[in-house]
Amino acid sequence: MIIIPGPASQILGIKVANLININKIQVKFKDFPDGEHYIKIENGEKIKNQDVIIIQSTYSPQNDNLMELLMILDGTKNLKPKSITLIVPYLCYSRQDKRFLEGEPLTAEIVCKIIEKIGDPLLEKFITIDIHSEKILDYFSKSIEVKNLSAMPLFGKYFKNLNLKNPCVIAPDEGALKRSKIVADLINADCNFLTKKRDLNTGEISTQIKDLSIENRDVIFTDDIISTGGTMARAIEMAKNQGANNIYAVCTHPLLIQNAKYRIFQAGAKEIVGTDCIPSECSKISVAPLLADFLTK
Ligand code: R5P
């Protein structure tokens, strides 16, 4: 087995390689003056007949990272490996998984389809982490084995060591409850979700937690993605108003665009805890052990 860490997942790729003790292959990359990318897989002869793992996350700038991923996939395929496993810790466009309005493209499907087309016939496995909706993986054909790993047990481990005060874990909506329950069970905490209510006169949206008092308790809000921070900031403000103690904003994919960090701390968070699916100053947890475990199973 040999691993190729793409430009967007260099450190994570090296960590995985070190954990499972496999060789790494370097990718040479640069941009041309007009903005087009250039990719070259170094020491290509080492790839022939090998089981190759490519790892490249597709966070912002997602179009560039996705294009580089496709270029690495094509370049690798051409070097005649035995098989390719592709790890995309954060899959871009996964929130565009429905045609909300007529005339809209199904962008999540487009992404899966191009990846499959470029990887064909050597792409055997596709691995991602806490994908926004597992249904997206159905866009791959059955000839590719797909796996959505969960980073939630890693968060459970992190919070177990913090000695929290009567903690509870809250999902931002009912759909995210399953993920949040994994963290809650590991730290023996209550778990619940937020409901949204729209004021019919003003149109204003307010959030509330049904049937759970959070007064004087430490609260962990868990989500798959924090993008602008709006969802988290609203939840944190509500928790503050209800007398919560320390509040943690947790997500697998800390996109943290614009002033997301400011909004979340301004709302009253004690900490933002993310993973290195997207490298950031809030990526306090590495998913490398999760990937290493899966790859060696
Ligand atoms: C939405 O369905 C996702 O799970 C997140 O809640 C959302 O992407 C967060 O976005 P933002 O940080 O911009 O509120």
Side-chain angles (χ1 to χ4, degrees):
M1 229 181 332
I2 202 158
I3 190 163
I4 306 179
S9 297
Q10 296 176 57
I11 300 177
L12 180 55
I14 300 263
K15 281 186 181 169
V16 172
N18 291 344
L19 281 170
I20 57 179
N21 202 17
I22 56 171
N23 286 329
K24 321 165 256 286
I25 289 273
Q26 205 179 332
V27 172
K28 185 174 163 190
F29 60 97
K30 65 177 182 183
D31 290 342
F32 289 107
D34 62 356
E36 288 183 357
H37 301 300
Y38 171 86
I39 287 284
K40 182 178 179 288
I41 320 288
E42 300 283 45
N43 302 310
E45 69 288 349
K46 292 195 178 152
I47 282 178
K48 202 168 178 192
N49 293 325
Q50 289 285 325
D51 291 312
V52 174
I53 301 161
I54 297 170
I55 179 164
Q56 165 90 340
S57 208
T58 53
Y59 52 86
S60 172
Q62 49 279 78
N63 298 336
D64 297 280
N65 287 331
L66 177 63
M67 187 63 198
E68 285 180 344
L69 181 156
L70 298 170
M71 293 166 82
I72 296 167
L73 196 52
D74 184 77
T76 303
K77 201 174 78 174
N78 203 41
L79 292 165
K80 303 201 168 32
K82 190 166 140 212
S83 72
I84 300 177
T85 294
L86 177 62
I87 304 175
V88 186
Y90 170 71
L91 185 68
C92 60
Y93 291 102
S94 61
R95 286 175 292 174
Q96 295 192 45
D97 58 340
K98 285 188 194 88
R99 290 184 211 276
F100 296 95
L101 297 172
E102 205 180 332
E104 289 179 350
L106 200 40
T107 317
E109 182 182 32
I110 297 173
V111 171
C112 298
K113 289 260 153 75
I114 332 175
I115 290 175
E116 177 159 357
K117 177 82 188 150
I118 303 297
D120 187 64
L122 294 178
L123 179 60
E124 288 187 358
K125 278 188 206 147
F126 178 87
I127 303 169
T128 188
I129 300 178
D130 288 329
I131 192 164
H132 183 62
S133 155
E134 284 214 327
K135 281 191 216 123
I136 295 167
L137 296 174
D138 293 341
Y139 294 134
F140 287 103
S141 68
K142 297 280 169 275
S143 59
I144 295 183
E145 188 185 327
V146 291
K147 183 73 190 171
N148 178 37
L149 297 172
S150 174
M152 294 298 138
L154 301 174
F155 290 119
K157 212 166 150 195
Y158 181 86
F159 286 106
K160 228 175 182 171
N161 293 327
L162 288 195
N163 210 5
L164 299 179
K165 188 174 163 192
N166 194 11
C168 54
V169 183
I170 315 281
D173 53 45
E174 198 172 0
L177 189 62
K178 198 172 133 200
R179 270 198 292 263
S180 306
K181 259 195 115 340
I182 301 174
V183 181
D185 287 350
L186 278 163
I187 59 172
N188 293 321
D190 287 333
C191 190
N192 210 314
F193 63 94
L194 293 182
T195 50
K196 279 186 192 160
K197 216 169 118 190
R198 188 183 291 275
D199 184 306
L200 293 178
N201 294 314
T202 64
E204 229 173 81
I205 294 175
S206 61
T207 46
Q208 55 177 339
I209 310 169
K210 256 176 133 184
D211 310 323
L212 182 74
S213 165
I214 55 171
E215 198 176 343
N216 245 329
R217 303 176 72 172
D218 287 341
V219 175
I220 302 167
F221 286 111
T222 46
D223 211 344
D224 56 337
I225 299 166
I226 301 179
S227 182
T228 64
T231 308
M232 274 293 173
R234 264 195 306 276
I236 293 162
E237 269 162 26
M238 180 232 42
K240 273 277 155 208
N241 290 337
Q242 293 191 14
N245 190 44
N246 290 326
I247 304 172
Y248 298 87
V250 167
C251 69
T252 307
H253 305 296
L255 278 174
L256 298 170
I257 60 160
Q258 297 158 3
N259 60 349
K261 286 175 270 192
Y262 182 89
R263 290 175 85 178
I264 290 170
F265 280 104
Q266 177 71 12
K270 182 177 167 71
E271 200 181 348
I272 303 174
V273 187
T275 78
D276 55 357
C277 285
I278 299 178
S280 85
E281 59 186 320
C282 301
S283 306
K284 301 188 178 147
I285 293 176
S286 179
V287 292
L290 181 71
L291 291 167
D293 271 2
F294 182 75
L295 291 166
T296 47
K297 249 200 287 184

